[in-house]
Amino acid sequence: MPIFIEDLANGITKVVLTGRIDIAGSAEIDMPMSIIGGSRQAVIVDLSGVNFIASLGLRSIVLAGKTVMRRGGTMVLLAPQPAVEEVITTSGIDELFVISRDEAAAIAAVTPSPG
Amino acid sequence: MTSVMADLGRLYPWLDDAAKHFNLPPKMLEGMHVALEEVVMNVAMHGYAHGTPGEIIVHLGTESGAAVLRVEDYGPPFDPTSVQVPAKPVSLEDADAGGLGLNLLRHFCEDISYVREADSNRLTLRFPLEVS
């Protein structure tokens, strides 16, 4: 399964995607991602272990992110490999989500500022 | 292969083998993977969407300084080169998640040509072998 969900402190959810999010991989992450979109508030999508993604896989992430944000939450992308980042940048997804380089930055980005 | 999911999984091992045969640079192969997935998904989701799975024929070759991927299907006429490239989404609400594919296809392959021949769509993707 190319998706693993980990609960961090302070209600933050880390979604770790791995391997090839191609046609088959997208089919596997689609349902879990939509559940996350509908139920979590602060989501970090760890892409460091992903070596391929195209529009189908991005679609799952964007739809989940849209749902999270509509519910007032935040989703950030963590540490995509260069080839994956090129796909993200080309599709314009980098204008929709913050891309964090390390986990500390990602946690800061999804943590609501006090007050 | 056919447009059913299980069959589409054969695409990438095949492409990797074929690319090895032609000794294609890894960077080009990365772009090919993305371009091929976008083309084949278009066929599987639109061309053969309503009805029985159809045949998709994929061919990799080289000619005059370029690697050439040819994808043929027998769905209704569809010319992806004639479709207006959607603008990059400016907000999350604008992002038509399904419309991202053509942007990716054109980024990773600048030279795409389409012909409708008899009852088939034939798409030719050219990847220049020189480092541009």
Side-chain angles (χ1 to χ4, degrees), chain A residues 31-86:
Chain A
M31 179 64 83
M33 283 305 292
S34 82
I35 292 169
I36 287 157
S39 59
R40 308 298 175 107
Q41 279 298 115
V43 183
I44 297 168
V45 181
D46 184 344
L47 296 172
S48 60
V50 173
N51 48 37
F52 175 88
I53 197 163
S55 67
L56 199 60
L58 288 179
R59 185 172 177 277
S60 282
I61 295 173
V62 170
L63 290 178
K66 273 187 172 184
T67 314
V68 168
M69 291 185 196
R70 202 173 293 132
R71 293 169 40 252
T74 317
M75 181 186 274
V76 303
L77 307 180
L78 173 60
Q81 295 175 18
V84 169
E85 183 154 7
E86 186 176 355

Side-chain angles (χ1 to χ4, degrees), chain B residues 13 16 81 83 108 119:
Chain B
D16 286 339
T81 64
V83 178
F108 287 99
D119 54 353

Side-chain angles (χ1 to χ4, degrees), chain A residues 20 22-23 52-56 58-59 62 65-66 69-70 83 86-87 89-93 95-97, chain B residues 5 8 12 27 30 33-34 37-38 41 45 88-93 95 97-98 100-101 103-104 107-108:
Chain A
R20 296 182 57 88
D22 55 14
I23 297 170
F52 175 88
I53 197 163
S55 67
L56 199 60
L58 288 179
R59 185 172 177 277
V62 170
K66 273 187 172 184
M69 291 185 196
R70 202 173 293 132
E86 186 176 355
V87 171
T89 310
T90 304
S91 61
I93 300 301
E95 292 166 28
L96 309 180
F97 300 106
Chain B
M5 244 358 145
L8 295 179
Y12 301 109
K27 178 75 188 154
E30 280 175 9
H33 271 246
V34 177
E37 168 147 330
E38 300 305 343
M41 278 317 296
M45 295 180 85
K88 285 189 178 185
V90 292
S91 80
L92 208 53
E93 291 309 308
L100 306 169
N103 263 337
L104 289 175
H107 175 79
F108 287 99

